[in-house]
Amino acid sequence: MLFQVGGQGTRPTFFEMAAAQQLPASLRAALTYSIGVLALRRPFLHRVLDYEDEFFSLLMLVLETHSLRTTDASFSESLYGLRRRAVKIKAMKDDARLNPGDGIQHSGLEKRQRVLSVVFLVVLPYFKSKLHSIYNKEREARLQASLWGHVDEGFDDADIFDRGEDSVIPRGNLDMEASVRTHLTKKIQKFIGACYPLLHASTEGFSFAYQMLYLLDATGFYSLGLHALGIHVCRATGQELMDTSSRISKTRSRERERLRGPPWLKALQGALLSGTYTVLDYAQTGLIAAVFFFKMMEWWYQSAEERMSAPTIYPPPPPPPPPQVAKEGIPLPPDRTLCPLCSQRRVNPSVITVSGFVFCYACIFKYVSQYKRCPITLMPTTVDQIRRLFHDV
């Protein structure tokens, strides 16, 4: 037990449960920062950051499985001296004046409840994190499409000068993009983009409702997952902590007795088993201490640098006013994704630096070569002031 939080009875306070729930997120942030600092000198650690969700889920899977097996509590709950207990409700007909909580009996966790606890603690958060990343990518793609349109062609000189005014020659990789796998992937991403906000709002709403009910002492379940599993989180007494230590010792002794083979092989297996247990034991405290040490050092040096040279922060200047459309110029189309010259969806979008308006490269190149001006503002310009926008690269 790392912390001892005050309170009466076996029911944890709201602040104990909130602290235990927020610990994995704080642990992940500290680990990400620590690995990022180490990756500055060890570039191969960037691969760990590329698969951050998988590595953190694997780490939590090992810690949660070991903690539930030995202490009947999650990793964060065991650090706060909490234990998970299966709820058994017994009907009380003798005295109607008894409190509702008097008919609740607690018992140890079953194997099914331990397995499902790992699912709710590790597997479901992992899938939610992946769905969140897919939703963010889909939202960025929709925002990009609303600004620039769905541009499937790259910037290729051959595609620009080999086409006519009203013809478009697609590149060869369009056949690959139109494959069944790509089409199915896009459909799945669009489905996730449409359904994830509702799913996220529902889970957050249920979480808030259960936390409010728990704070008002209207329920003994802190979350929907605990209610679905039929589990109460209780404080561990001193006797339970001692019993847990003895049970861990007996379990490890029985596992050593199950080792088979020659004496030298048993000794080797016993040493490996003892080393594994030692690593898991020290990981529960050493990991927390290490990452919070990194966070403390970050705060210390950042505060010192701010005290030594605190720059004066001024508000950013306002953006320049947009250019005015000339009366004799080409009017802007209502759809921003269309080219003002050809009134078609822009292909190889390019901007004129003197005005900032975007056109198809072939359209604006031909127009500026002939008239030496912007078609909308009529400001003088040259082909050297045309810039390709590489937003689709």
Coordinates of all heavy atoms in Angstrom, one line a residue, residues 51-139:
Y51 N 4.3 3.1 -31.3 CA 3.3 2.1 -30.9 C 3.0 2.3 -29.4 O 3.1 1.4 -28.6 CB 3.8 0.7 -31.2 CG 4.1 0.4 -32.6 CD1 5.3 0.6 -33.2 CD2 3.0 0.0 -33.5 CE1 5.5 0.3 -34.6 CE2 3.2 -0.3 -34.8 CZ 4.5 -0.1 -35.3 OH 4.7 -0.4 -36.7
E52 N 2.7 3.5 -29.1 CA 2.5 3.9 -27.7 C 1.3 3.1 -27.1 O 1.4 2.6 -26.0 CB 2.3 5.4 -27.6 CG 1.9 5.9 -26.2 CD 1.6 7.3 -26.2 OE1 1.7 8.0 -27.2 OE2 1.0 7.8 -25.1
D53 N 0.2 3.0 -27.8 CA -1.0 2.3 -27.3 C -0.7 0.8 -27.0 O -1.1 0.3 -26.0 CB -2.1 2.4 -28.3 CG -2.6 3.9 -28.4 OD1 -2.4 4.6 -27.5 OD2 -3.1 4.2 -29.5
E54 N 0.0 0.2 -27.9 CA 0.3 -1.2 -27.8 C 1.2 -1.5 -26.6 O 1.0 -2.4 -25.8 CB 0.9 -1.8 -29.1 CG -0.1 -1.9 -30.2 CD -0.5 -0.6 -30.8 OE1 0.2 0.4 -30.6 OE2 -1.5 -0.6 -31.6
F55 N 2.3 -0.7 -26.5 CA 3.3 -1.0 -25.4 C 2.7 -0.7 -24.1 O 2.9 -1.4 -23.1 CB 4.5 -0.1 -25.6 CG 5.5 -0.7 -26.6 CD1 5.6 -0.3 -27.9 CD2 6.4 -1.7 -26.2 CE1 6.5 -0.8 -28.8 CE2 7.3 -2.2 -27.1 CZ 7.4 -1.8 -28.4
F56 N 1.9 0.4 -23.9 CA 1.3 0.7 -22.7 C 0.3 -0.3 -22.3 O 0.1 -0.7 -21.1 CB 0.7 2.1 -22.7 CG 0.1 2.6 -21.4 CD1 1.0 3.0 -20.3 CD2 -1.2 2.5 -21.2 CE1 0.5 3.4 -19.1 CE2 -1.8 2.9 -19.9 CZ -0.9 3.4 -18.9
S57 N -0.5 -0.8 -23.3 CA -1.5 -1.8 -23.0 C -0.9 -3.1 -22.5 O -1.4 -3.8 -21.6 CB -2.4 -2.0 -24.2 OG -3.1 -0.8 -24.5
L58 N 0.2 -3.5 -23.2 CA 0.9 -4.7 -22.8 C 1.5 -4.5 -21.4 O 1.4 -5.5 -20.6 CB 2.1 -5.0 -23.8 CG 2.9 -6.2 -23.5 CD1 2.0 -7.5 -23.6 CD2 4.0 -6.3 -24.5
L59 N 2.0 -3.4 -21.0 CA 2.5 -3.2 -19.7 C 1.4 -3.2 -18.7 O 1.6 -3.9 -17.6 CB 3.2 -1.8 -19.6 CG 3.7 -1.3 -18.2 CD1 4.8 -2.3 -17.7 CD2 4.2 0.1 -18.3
M60 N 0.3 -2.6 -18.9 CA -0.8 -2.6 -18.0 C -1.4 -4.0 -17.9 O -2.0 -4.4 -16.9 CB -1.9 -1.6 -18.4 CG -1.4 -0.1 -18.3 SD -0.8 0.3 -16.7 CE -2.2 0.0 -15.7
L61 N -1.4 -4.8 -19.0 CA -1.9 -6.1 -19.0 C -1.1 -7.0 -18.0 O -1.7 -7.7 -17.2 CB -1.9 -6.8 -20.4 CG -2.3 -8.2 -20.5 CD1 -3.8 -8.3 -20.1 CD2 -2.1 -8.7 -21.9
V62 N 0.2 -6.8 -18.0 CA 1.0 -7.6 -17.1 C 0.8 -7.1 -15.6 O 0.6 -8.0 -14.7 CB 2.5 -7.4 -17.4 CG1 3.4 -8.1 -16.4 CG2 2.8 -8.0 -18.8
L63 N 0.8 -5.8 -15.4 CA 0.6 -5.3 -14.0 C -0.8 -5.6 -13.5 O -1.0 -6.0 -12.3 CB 0.8 -3.8 -14.0 CG 2.2 -3.3 -14.3 CD1 2.3 -1.8 -14.3 CD2 3.2 -3.9 -13.3
E64 N -1.9 -5.4 -14.3 CA -3.2 -5.7 -13.8 C -3.5 -7.2 -13.6 O -4.1 -7.5 -12.6 CB -4.2 -5.2 -14.9 CG -4.2 -3.7 -15.2 CD -4.7 -2.8 -14.0 OE1 -5.0 -3.4 -12.9 OE2 -4.7 -1.6 -14.2
T65 N -2.9 -8.0 -14.5 CA -3.1 -9.5 -14.2 C -2.4 -9.9 -13.0 O -3.0 -10.7 -12.1 CB -2.6 -10.2 -15.4 OG1 -3.2 -9.8 -16.6 CG2 -2.8 -11.7 -15.3
H66 N -1.2 -9.5 -12.8 CA -0.5 -9.8 -11.5 C -1.1 -9.3 -10.3 O -1.2 -10.0 -9.3 CB 1.0 -9.3 -11.6 CG 1.8 -9.5 -10.4 ND1 2.2 -10.8 -10.0 CD2 2.2 -8.6 -9.5 CE1 2.9 -10.6 -8.9 NE2 2.9 -9.4 -8.5
S67 N -1.6 -8.0 -10.4 CA -2.3 -7.4 -9.2 C -3.6 -8.1 -8.8 O -3.9 -8.4 -7.7 CB -2.5 -5.9 -9.4 OG -3.0 -5.3 -8.3
L68 N -4.4 -8.4 -9.9 CA -5.7 -9.1 -9.6 C -5.5 -10.5 -9.1 O -6.2 -11.0 -8.3 CB -6.5 -9.1 -10.9 CG -7.2 -7.8 -11.2 CD1 -7.7 -7.8 -12.7 CD2 -8.3 -7.4 -10.3
R69 N -4.4 -11.1 -9.5 CA -4.1 -12.5 -9.1 C -3.7 -12.6 -7.7 O -4.0 -13.5 -6.9 CB -3.1 -13.1 -10.0 CG -2.8 -14.6 -9.7 CD -1.7 -15.0 -10.6 NE -1.3 -16.4 -10.3 CZ -0.3 -17.1 -10.9 NH1 0.5 -16.4 -11.8 NH2 0.0 -18.3 -10.6
T70 N -2.9 -11.6 -7.3 CA -2.3 -11.6 -5.9 C -3.1 -10.8 -4.9 O -3.0 -11.2 -3.7 CB -0.9 -11.1 -6.0 OG1 -0.9 -9.8 -6.5 CG2 0.0 -12.0 -6.9
T71 N -3.7 -9.7 -5.3 CA -4.3 -8.8 -4.3 C -5.8 -8.6 -4.5 O -6.4 -7.9 -3.7 CB -3.7 -7.5 -4.3 OG1 -3.9 -6.8 -5.6 CG2 -2.2 -7.6 -4.0
D72 N -6.4 -9.2 -5.5 CA -7.8 -9.0 -5.8 C -8.1 -7.5 -6.0 O -9.2 -7.0 -5.5 CB -8.7 -9.6 -4.7 CG -9.0 -11.1 -4.9 OD1 -8.6 -11.6 -5.9 OD2 -9.5 -11.7 -4.0
A73 N -7.3 -6.8 -6.6 CA -7.4 -5.4 -6.9 C -6.7 -5.0 -8.1 O -5.7 -5.7 -8.5 CB -7.0 -4.5 -5.7
S74 N -7.1 -3.9 -8.7 CA -6.3 -3.4 -9.9 C -5.0 -2.9 -9.4 O -4.7 -2.7 -8.2 CB -7.1 -2.4 -10.7 OG -7.3 -1.2 -9.9
F75 N -4.1 -2.5 -10.4 CA -2.8 -2.0 -10.0 C -2.9 -0.7 -9.2 O -2.3 -0.5 -8.2 CB -2.0 -1.8 -11.3 CG -0.7 -1.1 -11.1 CD1 0.3 -1.6 -10.5 CD2 -0.6 0.2 -11.6 CE1 1.5 -0.9 -10.3 CE2 0.6 0.9 -11.5 CZ 1.7 0.3 -10.8
S76 N -3.7 0.2 -9.7 CA -3.9 1.5 -9.0 C -4.6 1.4 -7.7 O -4.3 2.0 -6.7 CB -4.6 2.5 -9.9 OG -5.9 2.0 -10.3
E77 N -5.6 0.5 -7.7 CA -6.4 0.3 -6.4 C -5.5 -0.3 -5.3 O -5.6 0.0 -4.1 CB -7.6 -0.6 -6.7 CG -8.7 0.1 -7.5 CD -9.7 -0.9 -8.1 OE1 -9.5 -2.1 -7.9 OE2 -10.6 -0.5 -8.7
S78 N -4.6 -1.2 -5.7 CA -3.7 -1.9 -4.7 C -2.8 -0.8 -4.1 O -2.4 -1.0 -2.9 CB -3.0 -3.0 -5.3 OG -2.1 -2.6 -6.4
L79 N -2.4 0.2 -4.9 CA -1.5 1.2 -4.3 C -2.2 2.1 -3.3 O -1.5 2.6 -2.4 CB -0.9 2.1 -5.5 CG -0.1 1.3 -6.5 CD1 0.4 2.3 -7.6 CD2 1.2 0.7 -5.8
Y80 N -3.5 2.2 -3.4 CA -4.3 2.9 -2.4 C -4.9 2.1 -1.3 O -5.7 2.6 -0.6 CB -5.4 3.7 -3.1 CG -4.8 4.9 -3.9 CD1 -4.5 4.8 -5.2 CD2 -4.7 6.2 -3.3 CE1 -4.0 5.9 -5.9 CE2 -4.3 7.3 -4.0 CZ -3.9 7.1 -5.3 OH -3.4 8.2 -6.0
G81 N -4.5 0.8 -1.2 CA -5.0 0.0 -0.1 C -6.4 -0.4 -0.3 O -7.2 -0.6 0.6
L82 N -6.9 -0.6 -1.6 CA -8.3 -1.0 -1.9 C -8.3 -2.4 -2.4 O -7.3 -2.9 -3.0 CB -8.9 0.0 -2.9 CG -8.8 1.5 -2.6 CD1 -9.4 2.3 -3.7 CD2 -9.5 1.8 -1.3
R83 N -9.4 -3.0 -2.3 CA -9.6 -4.4 -2.7 C -11.0 -4.5 -3.4 O -11.9 -3.8 -3.1 CB -9.6 -5.4 -1.6 CG -8.2 -5.4 -0.9 CD -7.2 -6.0 -1.8 NE -5.9 -6.1 -1.1 CZ -4.9 -5.2 -1.2 NH1 -5.1 -4.1 -1.8 NH2 -3.8 -5.4 -0.6
R84 N -11.1 -5.4 -4.4 CA -12.3 -5.7 -5.1 C -13.0 -6.9 -4.4 O -12.4 -7.9 -4.2 CB -12.1 -6.0 -6.6 CG -11.5 -4.8 -7.3 CD -11.6 -5.0 -8.8 NE -11.3 -3.7 -9.5 CZ -11.7 -3.4 -10.8 NH1 -12.3 -4.4 -11.5 NH2 -11.4 -2.3 -11.3
R85 N -14.3 -6.7 -4.2 CA -15.1 -7.8 -3.6 C -16.4 -8.0 -4.4 O -17.0 -7.1 -4.8 CB -15.5 -7.3 -2.1 CG -14.3 -7.2 -1.2 CD -13.7 -8.5 -0.9 NE -12.6 -8.4 0.0 CZ -11.3 -8.4 -0.4 NH1 -11.0 -8.6 -1.7 NH2 -10.3 -8.3 0.5
A86 N -16.7 -9.3 -4.6 CA -17.9 -9.7 -5.3 C -19.1 -9.4 -4.4 O -19.1 -9.6 -3.2 CB -17.9 -11.1 -5.7
V87 N -20.2 -8.9 -5.0 CA -21.4 -8.4 -4.3 C -22.4 -9.5 -4.3 O -22.7 -10.0 -5.4 CB -21.9 -7.1 -4.8 CG1 -23.2 -6.7 -4.1 CG2 -20.9 -6.0 -4.8
K88 N -22.9 -9.9 -3.2 CA -24.0 -10.9 -3.0 C -25.1 -10.2 -2.2 O -24.9 -9.9 -1.0 CB -23.5 -12.2 -2.4 CG -22.5 -13.0 -3.2 CD -22.2 -14.3 -2.6 CE -21.2 -15.0 -3.4 NZ -20.8 -16.3 -2.8
I89 N -26.3 -10.0 -2.8 CA -27.4 -9.4 -2.2 C -28.3 -10.5 -1.6 O -28.8 -11.4 -2.3 CB -28.2 -8.5 -3.2 CG1 -27.3 -7.4 -3.8 CG2 -29.4 -7.8 -2.5 CD1 -27.9 -6.6 -4.8
K90 N -28.5 -10.4 -0.3 CA -29.4 -11.3 0.5 C -30.6 -10.6 0.9 O -30.6 -9.5 1.5 CB -28.6 -11.9 1.7 CG -29.4 -12.9 2.4 CD -28.5 -13.5 3.5 CE -28.1 -12.5 4.6 NZ -27.4 -13.1 5.7
A91 N -31.8 -11.2 0.6 CA -33.1 -10.7 1.0 C -33.2 -10.6 2.5 O -32.9 -11.6 3.2 CB -34.2 -11.5 0.4
M92 N -33.7 -9.5 3.0 CA -33.9 -9.2 4.4 C -35.3 -9.0 4.7 O -35.9 -7.9 4.4 CB -33.0 -8.0 4.9 CG -31.5 -8.2 4.6 SD -30.7 -9.5 5.6 CE -30.8 -8.8 7.2
K93 N -36.1 -10.0 5.2 CA -37.5 -9.9 5.5 C -37.8 -9.8 6.9 O -39.0 -9.6 7.3 CB -38.2 -11.1 4.8 CG -38.0 -11.2 3.3 CD -38.8 -12.4 2.8 CE -38.6 -12.5 1.3 NZ -39.3 -13.7 0.7
D94 N -36.9 -9.9 7.8 CA -37.2 -9.9 9.2 C -37.5 -8.6 9.7 O -38.4 -8.3 10.5 CB -36.0 -10.6 10.0 CG -35.8 -12.0 9.6 OD1 -36.8 -12.6 9.1 OD2 -34.7 -12.5 9.8
D95 N -36.7 -7.6 9.3 CA -36.8 -6.2 9.9 C -36.8 -5.3 8.7 O -35.8 -5.2 8.0 CB -35.7 -6.0 10.9 CG -36.0 -4.7 11.7 OD1 -37.0 -4.0 11.4 OD2 -35.2 -4.4 12.6
A96 N -37.9 -4.6 8.5 CA -38.0 -3.6 7.4 C -37.2 -2.3 7.7 O -37.0 -1.5 6.8 CB -39.4 -3.3 7.1
R97 N -36.8 -2.1 9.0 CA -36.1 -0.9 9.3 C -34.6 -1.0 9.1 O -33.8 0.0 9.3 CB -36.3 -0.6 10.8 CG -37.7 -0.3 11.1 CD -37.9 -0.1 12.6 NE -37.6 -1.4 13.3 CZ -37.6 -1.5 14.7 NH1 -37.9 -0.5 15.4 NH2 -37.3 -2.7 15.2
L98 N -34.1 -2.1 8.5 CA -32.7 -2.2 8.3 C -32.3 -1.3 7.1 O -33.1 -1.1 6.2 CB -32.3 -3.7 8.0 CG -32.5 -4.6 9.2 CD1 -32.2 -6.1 8.7 CD2 -31.5 -4.3 10.3
N99 N -31.0 -0.9 7.1 CA -30.5 -0.1 6.0 C -30.4 -1.0 4.7 O -30.2 -2.2 4.8 CB -29.2 0.5 6.3 CG -29.3 1.5 7.5 OD1 -30.3 2.2 7.6 ND2 -28.3 1.5 8.3
P100 N -30.5 -0.4 3.5 CA -30.3 -1.1 2.3 C -29.0 -1.8 2.2 O -28.9 -2.9 1.6 CB -30.5 -0.1 1.2 CG -31.3 1.0 1.8 CD -30.9 1.0 3.2
G101 N -27.9 -1.2 2.8 CA -26.6 -1.9 2.7 C -26.4 -3.0 3.6 O -25.4 -3.7 3.5
D102 N -27.4 -3.3 4.5 CA -27.2 -4.4 5.4 C -27.4 -5.7 4.7 O -27.0 -6.8 5.3 CB -28.2 -4.2 6.6 CG -27.9 -3.0 7.5 OD1 -26.7 -2.6 7.4 OD2 -28.8 -2.5 8.2
G103 N -28.1 -5.8 3.6 CA -28.3 -7.0 2.9 C -27.3 -7.4 1.9 O -27.5 -8.3 1.1
I104 N -26.2 -6.7 1.9 CA -25.1 -6.9 0.9 C -23.9 -7.6 1.6 O -23.5 -7.2 2.6 CB -24.6 -5.5 0.3 CG1 -25.7 -4.9 -0.5 CG2 -23.4 -5.8 -0.6 CD1 -25.3 -3.5 -1.0
Q105 N -23.5 -8.7 1.0 CA -22.4 -9.5 1.5 C -21.3 -9.5 0.4 O -21.6 -9.5 -0.8 CB -22.8 -10.9 1.8 CG -23.8 -11.1 3.0 CD -24.1 -12.5 3.3 OE1 -23.8 -13.4 2.5 NE2 -24.7 -12.8 4.4
H106 N -20.1 -9.3 0.9 CA -18.9 -9.3 0.1 C -18.1 -10.6 0.2 O -18.1 -11.2 1.2 CB -18.0 -8.1 0.4 CG -18.6 -6.8 0.2 ND1 -18.3 -5.7 0.9 CD2 -19.5 -6.4 -0.8 CE1 -19.0 -4.7 0.5 NE2 -19.7 -5.1 -0.5
S107 N -17.6 -11.0 -1.0 CA -16.8 -12.3 -1.0 C -15.6 -12.0 -2.0 O -15.6 -11.0 -2.7 CB -17.6 -13.5 -1.4 OG -18.2 -13.3 -2.7
G108 N -14.7 -13.0 -2.0 CA -13.6 -12.9 -2.9 C -14.0 -13.0 -4.4 O -15.1 -13.4 -4.7
L109 N -13.1 -12.5 -5.3 CA -13.4 -12.5 -6.7 C -13.3 -13.9 -7.3 O -12.5 -14.7 -6.9 CB -12.4 -11.6 -7.4 CG -12.5 -10.1 -7.1 CD1 -11.5 -9.3 -8.0 CD2 -13.9 -9.5 -7.3
E110 N -14.2 -14.2 -8.2 CA -14.1 -15.4 -9.0 C -13.2 -15.3 -10.2 O -12.8 -14.1 -10.5 CB -15.5 -15.8 -9.4 CG -16.5 -16.0 -8.3 CD -17.9 -16.3 -8.8 OE1 -18.1 -16.3 -10.1 OE2 -18.8 -16.5 -8.0
K111 N -12.8 -16.4 -10.8 CA -11.9 -16.3 -11.9 C -12.5 -15.6 -13.1 O -11.8 -14.8 -13.7 CB -11.6 -17.7 -12.3 CG -10.6 -17.8 -13.5 CD -10.2 -19.2 -13.8 CE -9.2 -19.3 -15.0 NZ -8.8 -20.6 -15.3
R112 N -13.8 -15.7 -13.3 CA -14.5 -15.0 -14.3 C -14.5 -13.5 -14.1 O -14.2 -12.7 -15.0 CB -16.0 -15.5 -14.4 CG -16.8 -14.7 -15.5 CD -18.3 -15.2 -15.4 NE -18.8 -14.8 -14.1 CZ -19.3 -13.7 -13.7 NH1 -19.4 -12.7 -14.7 NH2 -19.8 -13.4 -12.6
Q113 N -14.6 -13.1 -12.9 CA -14.6 -11.7 -12.6 C -13.2 -11.1 -12.7 O -13.0 -9.9 -13.1 CB -15.1 -11.4 -11.1 CG -16.6 -11.7 -11.0 CD -17.1 -11.6 -9.6 OE1 -16.4 -11.9 -8.6 NE2 -18.3 -11.0 -9.4
R114 N -12.2 -11.9 -12.4 CA -10.8 -11.4 -12.6 C -10.5 -11.2 -14.1 O -9.9 -10.2 -14.5 CB -9.8 -12.4 -12.0 CG -9.8 -12.4 -10.5 CD -8.6 -13.2 -10.0 NE -8.6 -13.3 -8.6 CZ -9.1 -14.3 -7.8 NH1 -9.6 -15.3 -8.5 NH2 -9.0 -14.3 -6.5
V115 N -10.9 -12.1 -14.9 CA -10.7 -12.0 -16.4 C -11.5 -10.9 -17.0 O -10.9 -10.1 -17.7 CB -11.1 -13.4 -17.1 CG1 -11.0 -13.2 -18.6 CG2 -10.2 -14.5 -16.6
L116 N -12.7 -10.7 -16.6 CA -13.5 -9.6 -17.1 C -13.0 -8.2 -16.6 O -13.1 -7.2 -17.2 CB -15.0 -9.7 -16.7 CG -15.7 -10.9 -17.4 CD1 -17.1 -11.0 -16.9 CD2 -15.7 -10.7 -18.9
S117 N -12.4 -8.2 -15.4 CA -11.8 -7.0 -14.8 C -10.6 -6.6 -15.7 O -10.4 -5.4 -16.0 CB -11.4 -7.2 -13.4 OG -12.4 -7.4 -12.5
V118 N -9.8 -7.6 -16.1 CA -8.7 -7.2 -17.0 C -9.2 -6.7 -18.4 O -8.7 -5.7 -18.9 CB -7.8 -8.5 -17.3 CG1 -6.8 -8.2 -18.3 CG2 -7.2 -8.9 -16.0
V119 N -10.3 -7.2 -18.8 CA -10.9 -6.7 -20.1 C -11.4 -5.3 -19.9 O -11.1 -4.4 -20.8 CB -12.1 -7.6 -20.5 CG1 -12.9 -7.0 -21.7 CG2 -11.7 -9.0 -20.9
F120 N -12.1 -5.0 -18.8 CA -12.5 -3.6 -18.6 C -11.4 -2.6 -18.3 O -11.5 -1.4 -18.6 CB -13.5 -3.6 -17.4 CG -14.9 -3.9 -17.9 CD1 -15.4 -5.2 -17.8 CD2 -15.8 -2.9 -18.3 CE1 -16.7 -5.5 -18.2 CE2 -17.1 -3.2 -18.7 CZ -17.5 -4.6 -18.6
L121 N -10.3 -3.1 -17.7 CA -9.2 -2.2 -17.3 C -8.2 -2.0 -18.4 O -7.5 -1.0 -18.5 CB -8.5 -2.8 -16.1 CG -9.2 -2.8 -14.8 CD1 -8.5 -3.6 -13.7 CD2 -9.5 -1.4 -14.3
V122 N -8.0 -3.0 -19.3 CA -6.9 -2.9 -20.3 C -7.5 -3.0 -21.8 O -7.2 -2.1 -22.6 CB -5.9 -4.1 -20.1 CG1 -4.8 -4.0 -21.2 CG2 -5.3 -4.0 -18.7
V123 N -8.3 -4.0 -22.1 CA -8.7 -4.2 -23.5 C -9.6 -3.1 -24.0 O -9.4 -2.5 -25.0 CB -9.4 -5.6 -23.6 CG1 -9.8 -5.8 -25.0 CG2 -8.5 -6.7 -23.1
L124 N -10.7 -2.8 -23.2 CA -11.6 -1.7 -23.6 C -11.0 -0.4 -23.7 O -11.2 0.4 -24.7 CB -12.8 -1.7 -22.7 CG -13.7 -2.9 -22.8 CD1 -15.0 -2.7 -21.9 CD2 -14.2 -3.2 -24.2
P125 N -10.1 0.1 -22.8 CA -9.4 1.4 -23.0 C -8.5 1.4 -24.2 O -8.4 2.4 -24.8 CB -8.6 1.5 -21.7 CG -9.4 0.8 -20.6 CD -10.0 -0.4 -21.4
Y126 N -7.9 0.2 -24.5 CA -7.1 0.2 -25.7 C -7.9 0.4 -27.0 O -7.5 1.2 -27.8 CB -6.4 -1.2 -25.8 CG -5.7 -1.5 -27.1 CD1 -4.5 -0.8 -27.4 CD2 -6.2 -2.3 -28.0 CE1 -3.9 -1.0 -28.6 CE2 -5.6 -2.6 -29.2 CZ -4.4 -1.9 -29.5 OH -3.8 -2.2 -30.7
F127 N -9.0 -0.3 -27.1 CA -9.9 -0.1 -28.3 C -10.4 1.3 -28.3 O -10.5 1.9 -29.4 CB -11.0 -1.1 -28.3 CG -10.6 -2.5 -28.7 CD1 -10.5 -3.6 -27.9 CD2 -10.2 -2.7 -30.1 CE1 -10.1 -4.8 -28.3 CE2 -9.8 -4.0 -30.5 CZ -9.7 -5.0 -29.6
K128 N -10.8 1.9 -27.2 CA -11.3 3.2 -27.2 C -10.2 4.2 -27.6 O -10.5 5.2 -28.4 CB -11.8 3.6 -25.8 CG -12.4 5.0 -25.7 CD -12.9 5.3 -24.3 CE -13.6 6.7 -24.3 NZ -14.1 7.0 -23.0
S129 N -8.9 4.0 -27.2 CA -7.9 4.8 -27.7 C -7.6 4.7 -29.2 O -7.4 5.8 -29.8 CB -6.6 4.5 -26.9 OG -5.5 5.3 -27.3
K130 N -7.7 3.5 -29.7 CA -7.5 3.4 -31.2 C -8.7 4.0 -31.9 O -8.5 4.7 -33.0 CB -7.5 1.9 -31.5 CG -6.3 1.2 -30.9 CD -5.0 1.8 -31.1 CE -4.5 1.6 -32.6 NZ -3.2 2.1 -32.8
L131 N -9.9 3.9 -31.4 CA -11.1 4.5 -32.1 C -10.9 6.0 -32.0 O -11.3 6.7 -33.0 CB -12.4 4.1 -31.4 CG -12.8 2.6 -31.6 CD1 -14.1 2.3 -30.8 CD2 -13.1 2.4 -33.1
H132 N -10.4 6.6 -30.9 CA -10.2 8.0 -30.8 C -9.2 8.5 -31.8 O -9.4 9.6 -32.4 CB -9.8 8.3 -29.4 CG -9.7 9.8 -29.1 ND1 -10.8 10.6 -29.0 CD2 -8.6 10.6 -29.0 CE1 -10.4 11.9 -28.8 NE2 -9.1 11.9 -28.8
S133 N -8.1 7.8 -32.0 CA -7.1 8.2 -33.0 C -7.7 8.1 -34.4 O -7.5 9.0 -35.3 CB -5.9 7.3 -32.9 OG -6.2 5.9 -33.2
I134 N -8.5 7.1 -34.7 CA -9.1 7.0 -36.0 C -10.1 8.1 -36.3 O -10.2 8.7 -37.3 CB -9.8 5.6 -36.2 CG1 -8.8 4.5 -36.2 CG2 -10.6 5.6 -37.5 CD1 -9.4 3.1 -36.2
Y135 N -10.9 8.5 -35.2 CA -11.8 9.6 -35.3 C -11.1 10.9 -35.6 O -11.6 11.7 -36.4 CB -12.6 9.6 -34.0 CG -13.5 10.9 -33.9 CD1 -14.6 11.1 -34.7 CD2 -13.1 11.9 -33.1 CE1 -15.4 12.2 -34.6 CE2 -13.9 13.1 -33.0 CZ -15.0 13.2 -33.8 OH -15.7 14.4 -33.7
N136 N -10.0 11.1 -34.9 CA -9.2 12.3 -35.1 C -8.7 12.4 -36.6 O -8.8 13.5 -37.2 CB -8.1 12.4 -34.1 CG -8.5 12.8 -32.7 OD1 -9.6 13.4 -32.5 ND2 -7.7 12.4 -31.7
K137 N -8.2 11.3 -37.1 CA -7.8 11.3 -38.5 C -8.9 11.6 -39.5 O -8.8 12.3 -40.4 CB -7.1 10.0 -38.8 CG -5.8 9.8 -38.1 CD -5.2 8.4 -38.4 CE -3.9 8.2 -37.7 NZ -3.3 6.9 -38.0
E138 N -10.1 11.0 -39.2 CA -11.2 11.2 -40.1 C -11.7 12.6 -40.0 O -12.1 13.2 -41.0 CB -12.3 10.2 -39.7 CG -13.6 10.4 -40.5 CD -13.4 10.0 -41.9 OE1 -12.4 9.4 -42.3 OE2 -14.3 10.5 -42.7
R139 N -11.7 13.2 -38.8 CA -12.1 14.6 -38.6 C -11.1 15.5 -39.4 O -11.6 16.5 -40.0 CB -12.2 14.9 -37.1 CG -12.7 16.3 -36.9 CD -12.7 16.6 -35.4 NE -11.4 16.5 -34.8 CZ -11.2 16.8 -33.5 NH1 -12.2 17.1 -32.7 NH2 -10.0 16.7 -33.0

